[in-house]
PDB file of all heavy atoms in Angstrom:
ATOM      1  N   PHE A  14      -4.434 -11.433  14.161  1.00  0.00           N
ATOM      2  CA  PHE A  14      -3.414 -10.612  14.818  1.00  0.00           C
ATOM      3  C   PHE A  14      -2.090 -10.607  14.061  1.00  0.00           C
ATOM      4  O   PHE A  14      -1.510  -9.557  13.808  1.00  0.00           O
ATOM      5  CB  PHE A  14      -3.195 -11.112  16.250  1.00  0.00           C
ATOM      6  CG  PHE A  14      -2.065 -10.393  16.956  1.00  0.00           C
ATOM      7  CD1 PHE A  14      -2.244  -9.113  17.454  1.00  0.00           C
ATOM      8  CD2 PHE A  14      -0.825 -11.003  17.088  1.00  0.00           C
ATOM      9  CE1 PHE A  14      -1.197  -8.441  18.090  1.00  0.00           C
ATOM     10  CE2 PHE A  14       0.220 -10.341  17.716  1.00  0.00           C
ATOM     11  CZ  PHE A  14       0.030  -9.064  18.233  1.00  0.00           C
ATOM     12  N   ARG A  15      -1.583 -11.789  13.693  1.00  0.00           N
ATOM     13  CA  ARG A  15      -0.258 -11.856  13.065  1.00  0.00           C
ATOM     14  C   ARG A  15      -0.259 -11.190  11.695  1.00  0.00           C
ATOM     15  O   ARG A  15       0.671 -10.453  11.360  1.00  0.00           O
ATOM     16  CB  ARG A  15       0.207 -13.304  12.971  1.00  0.00           C
ATOM     17  CG  ARG A  15       0.578 -13.922  14.313  1.00  0.00           C
ATOM     18  CD  ARG A  15       1.125 -15.318  14.138  1.00  0.00           C
ATOM     19  NE  ARG A  15       0.167 -16.199  13.492  1.00  0.00           N
ATOM     20  CZ  ARG A  15       0.448 -17.411  13.034  1.00  0.00           C
ATOM     21  NH1 ARG A  15       1.682 -17.885  13.136  1.00  0.00           N
ATOM     22  NH2 ARG A  15      -0.483 -18.161  12.482  1.00  0.00           N
ATOM     23  N   LYS A  16      -1.280 -11.458  10.905  1.00  0.00           N
ATOM     24  CA  LYS A  16      -1.341 -10.843   9.579  1.00  0.00           C
ATOM     25  C   LYS A  16      -1.488  -9.324   9.693  1.00  0.00           C
ATOM     26  O   LYS A  16      -0.872  -8.573   8.939  1.00  0.00           O
ATOM     27  CB  LYS A  16      -2.498 -11.426   8.770  1.00  0.00           C
ATOM     28  CG  LYS A  16      -2.496 -11.014   7.295  1.00  0.00           C
ATOM     29  CD  LYS A  16      -3.569 -11.754   6.526  1.00  0.00           C
ATOM     30  CE  LYS A  16      -3.520 -11.404   5.047  1.00  0.00           C
ATOM     31  NZ  LYS A  16      -2.330 -11.956   4.387  1.00  0.00           N
ATOM     32  N   ARG A  17      -2.312  -8.875  10.639  1.00  0.00           N
ATOM     33  CA  ARG A  17      -2.460  -7.442  10.852  1.00  0.00           C
ATOM     34  C   ARG A  17      -1.107  -6.810  11.192  1.00  0.00           C
ATOM     35  O   ARG A  17      -0.761  -5.740  10.683  1.00  0.00           O
ATOM     36  CB  ARG A  17      -3.462  -7.173  11.975  1.00  0.00           C
ATOM     37  CG  ARG A  17      -3.697  -5.701  12.269  1.00  0.00           C
ATOM     38  CD  ARG A  17      -4.616  -5.548  13.474  1.00  0.00           C
ATOM     39  NE  ARG A  17      -5.934  -6.070  13.200  1.00  0.00           N
ATOM     40  CZ  ARG A  17      -6.929  -5.347  12.696  1.00  0.00           C
ATOM     41  NH1 ARG A  17      -6.737  -4.069  12.398  1.00  0.00           N
ATOM     42  NH2 ARG A  17      -8.106  -5.896  12.487  1.00  0.00           N
ATOM     43  N   LEU A  18      -0.350  -7.478  12.048  1.00  0.00           N
ATOM     44  CA  LEU A  18       0.948  -6.957  12.465  1.00  0.00           C
ATOM     45  C   LEU A  18       1.894  -6.827  11.276  1.00  0.00           C
ATOM     46  O   LEU A  18       2.553  -5.788  11.094  1.00  0.00           O
ATOM     47  CB  LEU A  18       1.548  -7.877  13.533  1.00  0.00           C
ATOM     48  CG  LEU A  18       2.862  -7.416  14.159  1.00  0.00           C
ATOM     49  CD1 LEU A  18       2.654  -6.117  14.925  1.00  0.00           C
ATOM     50  CD2 LEU A  18       3.397  -8.512  15.094  1.00  0.00           C
ATOM     51  N   VAL A  19       1.955  -7.874  10.446  1.00  0.00           N
ATOM     52  CA  VAL A  19       2.849  -7.842   9.281  1.00  0.00           C
ATOM     53  C   VAL A  19       2.402  -6.777   8.291  1.00  0.00           C
ATOM     54  O   VAL A  19       3.230  -6.030   7.733  1.00  0.00           O
ATOM     55  CB  VAL A  19       2.919  -9.230   8.621  1.00  0.00           C
ATOM     56  CG1 VAL A  19       3.635  -9.156   7.286  1.00  0.00           C
ATOM     57  CG2 VAL A  19       3.626 -10.218   9.535  1.00  0.00           C
ATOM     58  N   LEU A  20       1.096  -6.668   8.053  1.00  0.00           N
ATOM     59  CA  LEU A  20       0.589  -5.660   7.114  1.00  0.00           C
ATOM     60  C   LEU A  20       0.850  -4.249   7.619  1.00  0.00           C
ATOM     61  O   LEU A  20       1.165  -3.345   6.829  1.00  0.00           O
ATOM     62  CB  LEU A  20      -0.906  -5.872   6.874  1.00  0.00           C
ATOM     63  CG  LEU A  20      -1.275  -7.119   6.062  1.00  0.00           C
ATOM     64  CD1 LEU A  20      -2.774  -7.370   6.127  1.00  0.00           C
ATOM     65  CD2 LEU A  20      -0.830  -6.971   4.609  1.00  0.00           C
ATOM     66  N   LYS A  21       0.735  -4.034   8.923  1.00  0.00           N
ATOM     67  CA  LYS A  21       1.024  -2.721   9.491  1.00  0.00           C
ATOM     68  C   LYS A  21       2.511  -2.400   9.357  1.00  0.00           C
ATOM     69  O   LYS A  21       2.895  -1.254   9.072  1.00  0.00           O
ATOM     70  CB  LYS A  21       0.601  -2.680  10.963  1.00  0.00           C
ATOM     71  CG  LYS A  21      -0.903  -2.658  11.179  1.00  0.00           C
ATOM     72  CD  LYS A  21      -1.521  -1.340  10.748  1.00  0.00           C
ATOM     73  CE  LYS A  21      -2.968  -1.233  11.145  1.00  0.00           C
ATOM     74  NZ  LYS A  21      -3.563   0.066  10.720  1.00  0.00           N
ATOM     75  N   LEU A  22       3.360  -3.406   9.537  1.00  0.00           N
ATOM     76  CA  LEU A  22       4.796  -3.203   9.356  1.00  0.00           C
ATOM     77  C   LEU A  22       5.116  -2.871   7.909  1.00  0.00           C
ATOM     78  O   LEU A  22       5.918  -1.970   7.621  1.00  0.00           O
ATOM     79  CB  LEU A  22       5.557  -4.451   9.808  1.00  0.00           C
ATOM     80  CG  LEU A  22       7.085  -4.414   9.648  1.00  0.00           C
ATOM     81  CD1 LEU A  22       7.680  -3.242  10.402  1.00  0.00           C
ATOM     82  CD2 LEU A  22       7.692  -5.735  10.122  1.00  0.00           C
ATOM     83  N   ALA A  23       4.482  -3.597   6.975  1.00  0.00           N
ATOM     84  CA  ALA A  23       4.696  -3.308   5.554  1.00  0.00           C
ATOM     85  C   ALA A  23       4.264  -1.884   5.218  1.00  0.00           C
ATOM     86  O   ALA A  23       4.940  -1.181   4.449  1.00  0.00           O
ATOM     87  CB  ALA A  23       3.922  -4.316   4.703  1.00  0.00           C
ATOM     88  N   ALA A  24       3.152  -1.437   5.787  1.00  0.00           N
ATOM     89  CA  ALA A  24       2.694  -0.067   5.541  1.00  0.00           C
ATOM     90  C   ALA A  24       3.684   0.943   6.090  1.00  0.00           C
ATOM     91  O   ALA A  24       3.976   1.963   5.440  1.00  0.00           O
ATOM     92  CB  ALA A  24       1.317   0.144   6.153  1.00  0.00           C
ATOM     93  N   ALA A  25       4.228   0.680   7.278  1.00  0.00           N
ATOM     94  CA  ALA A  25       5.186   1.605   7.878  1.00  0.00           C
ATOM     95  C   ALA A  25       6.453   1.715   7.034  1.00  0.00           C
ATOM     96  O   ALA A  25       6.978   2.817   6.809  1.00  0.00           O
ATOM     97  CB  ALA A  25       5.536   1.146   9.296  1.00  0.00           C
ATOM     98  N   VAL A  26       6.945   0.557   6.543  1.00  0.00           N
ATOM     99  CA  VAL A  26       8.142   0.571   5.702  1.00  0.00           C
ATOM    100  C   VAL A  26       7.864   1.317   4.399  1.00  0.00           C
ATOM    101  O   VAL A  26       8.667   2.143   3.942  1.00  0.00           O
ATOM    102  CB  VAL A  26       8.611  -0.870   5.412  1.00  0.00           C
ATOM    103  CG1 VAL A  26       9.713  -0.888   4.365  1.00  0.00           C
ATOM    104  CG2 VAL A  26       9.074  -1.542   6.693  1.00  0.00           C
ATOM    105  N   THR A  27       6.720   1.043   3.789  1.00  0.00           N
ATOM    106  CA  THR A  27       6.365   1.703   2.531  1.00  0.00           C
ATOM    107  C   THR A  27       6.193   3.197   2.733  1.00  0.00           C
ATOM    108  O   THR A  27       6.665   4.015   1.917  1.00  0.00           O
ATOM    109  CB  THR A  27       5.060   1.103   1.973  1.00  0.00           C
ATOM    110  OG1 THR A  27       5.252  -0.294   1.763  1.00  0.00           O
ATOM    111  CG2 THR A  27       4.685   1.756   0.651  1.00  0.00           C
ATOM    112  N   ASN A  28       5.542   3.601   3.813  1.00  0.00           N
ATOM    113  CA  ASN A  28       5.340   5.023   4.071  1.00  0.00           C
ATOM    114  C   ASN A  28       6.666   5.746   4.283  1.00  0.00           C
ATOM    115  O   ASN A  28       6.852   6.873   3.807  1.00  0.00           O
ATOM    116  CB  ASN A  28       4.434   5.211   5.291  1.00  0.00           C
ATOM    117  CG  ASN A  28       2.999   4.805   5.018  1.00  0.00           C
ATOM    118  OD1 ASN A  28       2.594   4.668   3.874  1.00  0.00           O
ATOM    119  ND2 ASN A  28       2.226   4.613   6.073  1.00  0.00           N
ATOM    120  N   ALA A  29       7.588   5.090   4.984  1.00  0.00           N
ATOM    121  CA  ALA A  29       8.892   5.701   5.209  1.00  0.00           C
ATOM    122  C   ALA A  29       9.643   5.897   3.890  1.00  0.00           C
ATOM    123  O   ALA A  29      10.363   6.883   3.706  1.00  0.00           O
ATOM    124  CB  ALA A  29       9.718   4.835   6.163  1.00  0.00           C
ATOM    125  N   ALA A  30       9.454   4.967   2.956  1.00  0.00           N
ATOM    126  CA  ALA A  30      10.154   5.041   1.669  1.00  0.00           C
ATOM    127  C   ALA A  30       9.510   6.022   0.699  1.00  0.00           C
ATOM    128  O   ALA A  30      10.180   6.556  -0.183  1.00  0.00           O
ATOM    129  CB  ALA A  30      10.216   3.655   1.039  1.00  0.00           C
ATOM    130  N   THR A  31       8.199   6.255   0.851  1.00  0.00           N
ATOM    131  CA  THR A  31       7.475   7.049  -0.150  1.00  0.00           C
ATOM    132  C   THR A  31       6.997   8.398   0.364  1.00  0.00           C
ATOM    133  O   THR A  31       6.618   9.256  -0.436  1.00  0.00           O
ATOM    134  CB  THR A  31       6.236   6.283  -0.650  1.00  0.00           C
ATOM    135  OG1 THR A  31       5.315   6.107   0.442  1.00  0.00           O
ATOM    136  CG2 THR A  31       6.621   4.921  -1.204  1.00  0.00           C
ATOM    137  N   GLY A  32       6.995   8.596   1.684  1.00  0.00           N
ATOM    138  CA  GLY A  32       6.451   9.830   2.237  1.00  0.00           C
ATOM    139  C   GLY A  32       4.940   9.852   2.275  1.00  0.00           C
ATOM    140  O   GLY A  32       4.345  10.883   2.616  1.00  0.00           O
ATOM    141  N   MET A  33       4.297   8.736   1.931  1.00  0.00           N
ATOM    142  CA  MET A  33       2.842   8.655   1.983  1.00  0.00           C
ATOM    143  C   MET A  33       2.399   8.258   3.397  1.00  0.00           C
ATOM    144  O   MET A  33       3.234   7.958   4.255  1.00  0.00           O
ATOM    145  CB  MET A  33       2.336   7.670   0.940  1.00  0.00           C
ATOM    146  CG  MET A  33       2.709   8.055  -0.484  1.00  0.00           C
ATOM    147  SD  MET A  33       2.170   6.856  -1.739  1.00  0.00           S
ATOM    148  CE  MET A  33       0.438   7.303  -1.907  1.00  0.00           C
ATOM    149  N   THR A  34       1.109   8.270   3.628  1.00  0.00           N
ATOM    150  CA  THR A  34       0.570   7.934   4.953  1.00  0.00           C
ATOM    151  C   THR A  34      -0.533   6.887   4.814  1.00  0.00           C
ATOM    152  O   THR A  34      -1.664   7.106   5.232  1.00  0.00           O
ATOM    153  CB  THR A  34       0.024   9.188   5.656  1.00  0.00           C
ATOM    154  OG1 THR A  34      -0.909   9.836   4.779  1.00  0.00           O
ATOM    155  CG2 THR A  34       1.141  10.148   6.007  1.00  0.00           C
ATOM    156  N   LEU A  35      -0.201   5.784   4.207  1.00  0.00           N
ATOM    157  CA  LEU A  35      -1.173   4.721   3.987  1.00  0.00           C
ATOM    158  C   LEU A  35      -1.380   3.895   5.249  1.00  0.00           C
ATOM    159  O   LEU A  35      -0.449   3.681   6.025  1.00  0.00           O
ATOM    160  CB  LEU A  35      -0.700   3.794   2.862  1.00  0.00           C
ATOM    161  CG  LEU A  35      -0.539   4.411   1.472  1.00  0.00           C
ATOM    162  CD1 LEU A  35      -0.012   3.363   0.505  1.00  0.00           C
ATOM    163  CD2 LEU A  35      -1.851   4.981   0.978  1.00  0.00           C
ATOM    164  N   THR A  36      -2.601   3.398   5.402  1.00  0.00           N
ATOM    165  CA  THR A  36      -2.878   2.459   6.490  1.00  0.00           C
ATOM    166  C   THR A  36      -2.747   1.015   6.030  1.00  0.00           C
ATOM    167  O   THR A  36      -2.656   0.110   6.852  1.00  0.00           O
ATOM    168  CB  THR A  36      -4.295   2.681   7.042  1.00  0.00           C
ATOM    169  OG1 THR A  36      -5.251   2.455   5.994  1.00  0.00           O
ATOM    170  CG2 THR A  36      -4.457   4.101   7.584  1.00  0.00           C
ATOM    171  N   ASP A  37      -2.762   0.786   4.710  1.00  0.00           N
ATOM    172  CA  ASP A  37      -2.766  -0.578   4.165  1.00  0.00           C
ATOM    173  C   ASP A  37      -2.057  -0.570   2.816  1.00  0.00           C
ATOM    174  O   ASP A  37      -2.673  -0.338   1.782  1.00  0.00           O
ATOM    175  CB  ASP A  37      -4.208  -1.061   4.012  1.00  0.00           C
ATOM    176  CG  ASP A  37      -4.308  -2.545   3.668  1.00  0.00           C
ATOM    177  OD1 ASP A  37      -3.258  -3.208   3.539  1.00  0.00           O
ATOM    178  OD2 ASP A  37      -5.444  -3.032   3.529  1.00  0.00           O
ATOM    179  N   ALA A  38      -0.750  -0.829   2.830  1.00  0.00           N
ATOM    180  CA  ALA A  38       0.051  -0.708   1.608  1.00  0.00           C
ATOM    181  C   ALA A  38      -0.023  -1.937   0.718  1.00  0.00           C
ATOM    182  O   ALA A  38       0.403  -1.896  -0.436  1.00  0.00           O
ATOM    183  CB  ALA A  38       1.517  -0.431   1.974  1.00  0.00           C
ATOM    184  N   HIS A  39      -0.568  -3.058   1.231  1.00  0.00           N
ATOM    185  CA  HIS A  39      -0.577  -4.308   0.474  1.00  0.00           C
ATOM    186  C   HIS A  39      -1.994  -4.772   0.168  1.00  0.00           C
ATOM    187  O   HIS A  39      -2.314  -5.949   0.246  1.00  0.00           O
ATOM    188  CB  HIS A  39       0.195  -5.393   1.229  1.00  0.00           C
ATOM    189  CG  HIS A  39       1.673  -5.303   1.018  1.00  0.00           C
ATOM    190  ND1 HIS A  39       2.425  -6.317   0.490  1.00  0.00           N
ATOM    191  CD2 HIS A  39       2.542  -4.291   1.241  1.00  0.00           C
ATOM    192  CE1 HIS A  39       3.690  -5.945   0.406  1.00  0.00           C
ATOM    193  NE2 HIS A  39       3.787  -4.715   0.862  1.00  0.00           N
ATOM    194  N   ASN A  40      -2.821  -3.839  -0.237  1.00  0.00           N
ATOM    195  CA  ASN A  40      -4.188  -4.162  -0.626  1.00  0.00           C
ATOM    196  C   ASN A  40      -4.261  -4.163  -2.145  1.00  0.00           C
ATOM    197  O   ASN A  40      -3.906  -3.171  -2.794  1.00  0.00           O
ATOM    198  CB  ASN A  40      -5.150  -3.115  -0.045  1.00  0.00           C
ATOM    199  CG  ASN A  40      -6.592  -3.566  -0.072  1.00  0.00           C
ATOM    200  OD1 ASN A  40      -7.101  -3.984  -1.102  1.00  0.00           O
ATOM    201  ND2 ASN A  40      -7.264  -3.476   1.063  1.00  0.00           N
ATOM    202  N   GLY A  41      -4.738  -5.265  -2.715  1.00  0.00           N
ATOM    203  CA  GLY A  41      -4.733  -5.412  -4.175  1.00  0.00           C
ATOM    204  C   GLY A  41      -5.869  -4.718  -4.887  1.00  0.00           C
ATOM    205  O   GLY A  41      -5.900  -4.708  -6.123  1.00  0.00           O
ATOM    206  N   LEU A  42      -6.806  -4.116  -4.144  1.00  0.00           N
ATOM    207  CA  LEU A  42      -7.929  -3.418  -4.774  1.00  0.00           C
ATOM    208  C   LEU A  42      -7.566  -1.950  -4.923  1.00  0.00           C
ATOM    209  O   LEU A  42      -7.400  -1.231  -3.933  1.00  0.00           O
ATOM    210  CB  LEU A  42      -9.196  -3.589  -3.925  1.00  0.00           C
ATOM    211  CG  LEU A  42     -10.484  -2.972  -4.479  1.00  0.00           C
ATOM    212  CD1 LEU A  42     -10.771  -3.444  -5.894  1.00  0.00           C
ATOM    213  CD2 LEU A  42     -11.660  -3.295  -3.573  1.00  0.00           C
ATOM    214  N   ARG A  43      -7.446  -1.519  -6.174  1.00  0.00           N
ATOM    215  CA  ARG A  43      -7.044  -0.144  -6.481  1.00  0.00           C
ATOM    216  C   ARG A  43      -7.875   0.365  -7.649  1.00  0.00           C
ATOM    217  O   ARG A  43      -8.206  -0.406  -8.553  1.00  0.00           O
ATOM    218  CB  ARG A  43      -5.561  -0.067  -6.874  1.00  0.00           C
ATOM    219  CG  ARG A  43      -4.597  -0.815  -5.979  1.00  0.00           C
ATOM    220  CD  ARG A  43      -3.203  -0.856  -6.582  1.00  0.00           C
ATOM    221  NE  ARG A  43      -2.286  -1.688  -5.824  1.00  0.00           N
ATOM    222  CZ  ARG A  43      -2.107  -2.993  -6.025  1.00  0.00           C
ATOM    223  NH1 ARG A  43      -2.809  -3.616  -6.984  1.00  0.00           N
ATOM    224  NH2 ARG A  43      -1.237  -3.671  -5.307  1.00  0.00           N
ATOM    225  N   ALA A  44      -8.148   1.665  -7.650  1.00  0.00           N
ATOM    226  CA  ALA A  44      -8.762   2.314  -8.807  1.00  0.00           C
ATOM    227  C   ALA A  44      -7.834   3.434  -9.250  1.00  0.00           C
ATOM    228  O   ALA A  44      -7.519   4.332  -8.469  1.00  0.00           O
ATOM    229  CB  ALA A  44     -10.135   2.874  -8.456  1.00  0.00           C
ATOM    230  N   LEU A  45      -7.391   3.339 -10.492  1.00  0.00           N
ATOM    231  CA  LEU A  45      -6.430   4.299 -11.037  1.00  0.00           C
ATOM    232  C   LEU A  45      -7.038   5.006 -12.232  1.00  0.00           C
ATOM    233  O   LEU A  45      -7.548   4.358 -13.152  1.00  0.00           O
ATOM    234  CB  LEU A  45      -5.151   3.584 -11.488  1.00  0.00           C
ATOM    235  CG  LEU A  45      -4.461   2.676 -10.473  1.00  0.00           C
ATOM    236  CD1 LEU A  45      -3.248   2.010 -11.117  1.00  0.00           C
ATOM    237  CD2 LEU A  45      -4.057   3.458  -9.234  1.00  0.00           C
ATOM    238  N   ARG A  46      -6.990   6.324 -12.214  1.00  0.00           N
ATOM    239  CA  ARG A  46      -7.311   7.059 -13.432  1.00  0.00           C
ATOM    240  C   ARG A  46      -6.241   6.722 -14.456  1.00  0.00           C
ATOM    241  O   ARG A  46      -5.116   6.362 -14.093  1.00  0.00           O
ATOM    242  CB  ARG A  46      -7.351   8.555 -13.106  1.00  0.00           C
ATOM    243  CG  ARG A  46      -8.245   9.392 -13.992  1.00  0.00           C
ATOM    244  CD  ARG A  46      -8.404  10.775 -13.415  1.00  0.00           C
ATOM    245  NE  ARG A  46      -7.104  11.452 -13.286  1.00  0.00           N
ATOM    246  CZ  ARG A  46      -6.920  12.554 -12.566  1.00  0.00           C
ATOM    247  NH1 ARG A  46      -7.925  13.102 -11.899  1.00  0.00           N
ATOM    248  NH2 ARG A  46      -5.721  13.109 -12.498  1.00  0.00           N
ATOM    249  N   VAL A  47      -6.554   6.865 -15.719  1.00  0.00           N
ATOM    250  CA  VAL A  47      -5.631   6.362 -16.745  1.00  0.00           C
ATOM    251  C   VAL A  47      -4.278   7.061 -16.686  1.00  0.00           C
ATOM    252  O   VAL A  47      -3.245   6.446 -16.989  1.00  0.00           O
ATOM    253  CB  VAL A  47      -6.275   6.445 -18.151  1.00  0.00           C
ATOM    254  CG1 VAL A  47      -6.400   7.889 -18.618  1.00  0.00           C
ATOM    255  CG2 VAL A  47      -5.506   5.584 -19.143  1.00  0.00           C
ATOM    256  N   ASP A  48      -4.228   8.341 -16.287  1.00  0.00           N
ATOM    257  CA  ASP A  48      -2.923   9.005 -16.188  1.00  0.00           C
ATOM    258  C   ASP A  48      -2.081   8.365 -15.086  1.00  0.00           C
ATOM    259  O   ASP A  48      -0.852   8.252 -15.218  1.00  0.00           O
ATOM    260  CB  ASP A  48      -3.069  10.512 -15.980  1.00  0.00           C
ATOM    261  CG  ASP A  48      -3.970  10.889 -14.814  1.00  0.00           C
ATOM    262  OD1 ASP A  48      -4.795  10.066 -14.397  1.00  0.00           O
ATOM    263  OD2 ASP A  48      -3.861  12.041 -14.337  1.00  0.00           O
ATOM    264  N   ALA A  49      -2.714   7.933 -14.003  1.00  0.00           N
ATOM    265  CA  ALA A  49      -1.984   7.223 -12.954  1.00  0.00           C
ATOM    266  C   ALA A  49      -1.562   5.832 -13.427  1.00  0.00           C
ATOM    267  O   ALA A  49      -0.457   5.366 -13.106  1.00  0.00           O
ATOM    268  CB  ALA A  49      -2.847   7.114 -11.699  1.00  0.00           C
ATOM    269  N   ALA A  50      -2.413   5.175 -14.189  1.00  0.00           N
ATOM    270  CA  ALA A  50      -2.061   3.845 -14.710  1.00  0.00           C
ATOM    271  C   ALA A  50      -0.819   3.910 -15.592  1.00  0.00           C
ATOM    272  O   ALA A  50      -0.013   2.972 -15.618  1.00  0.00           O
ATOM    273  CB  ALA A  50      -3.233   3.262 -15.490  1.00  0.00           C
ATOM    274  N   HIS A  51      -0.626   5.019 -16.292  1.00  0.00           N
ATOM    275  CA  HIS A  51       0.557   5.162 -17.148  1.00  0.00           C
ATOM    276  C   HIS A  51       1.848   5.332 -16.351  1.00  0.00           C
ATOM    277  O   HIS A  51       2.934   5.168 -16.902  1.00  0.00           O
ATOM    278  CB  HIS A  51       0.365   6.334 -18.108  1.00  0.00           C
ATOM    279  CG  HIS A  51      -0.416   5.979 -19.335  1.00  0.00           C
ATOM    280  ND1 HIS A  51       0.121   5.273 -20.387  1.00  0.00           N
ATOM    281  CD2 HIS A  51      -1.702   6.224 -19.672  1.00  0.00           C
ATOM    282  CE1 HIS A  51      -0.794   5.103 -21.329  1.00  0.00           C
ATOM    283  NE2 HIS A  51      -1.914   5.666 -20.910  1.00  0.00           N
ATOM    284  N   VAL A  52       1.725   5.638 -15.061  1.00  0.00           N
ATOM    285  CA  VAL A  52       2.909   5.775 -14.208  1.00  0.00           C
ATOM    286  C   VAL A  52       3.470   4.411 -13.817  1.00  0.00           C
ATOM    287  O   VAL A  52       4.657   4.268 -13.526  1.00  0.00           O
ATOM    288  CB  VAL A  52       2.527   6.587 -12.943  1.00  0.00           C
ATOM    289  CG1 VAL A  52       3.614   6.532 -11.885  1.00  0.00           C
ATOM    290  CG2 VAL A  52       2.202   8.027 -13.314  1.00  0.00           C
ATOM    291  N   VAL A  53       2.633   3.384 -13.825  1.00  0.00           N
ATOM    292  CA  VAL A  53       2.999   2.073 -13.284  1.00  0.00           C
ATOM    293  C   VAL A  53       3.948   1.346 -14.231  1.00  0.00           C
ATOM    294  O   VAL A  53       3.644   1.126 -15.404  1.00  0.00           O
ATOM    295  CB  VAL A  53       1.745   1.222 -13.034  1.00  0.00           C
ATOM    296  CG1 VAL A  53       2.128  -0.172 -12.535  1.00  0.00           C
ATOM    297  CG2 VAL A  53       0.817   1.925 -12.036  1.00  0.00           C
ATOM    298  N   ASN A  54       5.110   0.965 -13.686  1.00  0.00           N
ATOM    299  CA  ASN A  54       6.108   0.210 -14.449  1.00  0.00           C
ATOM    300  C   ASN A  54       6.775  -0.765 -13.488  1.00  0.00           C
ATOM    301  O   ASN A  54       7.887  -0.544 -13.008  1.00  0.00           O
ATOM    302  CB  ASN A  54       7.136   1.140 -15.089  1.00  0.00           C
ATOM    303  CG  ASN A  54       8.167   0.379 -15.912  1.00  0.00           C
ATOM    304  OD1 ASN A  54       7.913  -0.714 -16.399  1.00  0.00           O
ATOM    305  ND2 ASN A  54       9.349   0.952 -16.042  1.00  0.00           N
TER     306      ASN A  54
END
């Protein structure tokens, strides 16, 4: 429960800052096409 609550709060803060609609903003499993990987800094 507590971790879910914090993760949901993190997603809400991230979505407000980015305009995205993620359900899970702090998940370390990602697949990026190479053009997207070049965006990361």
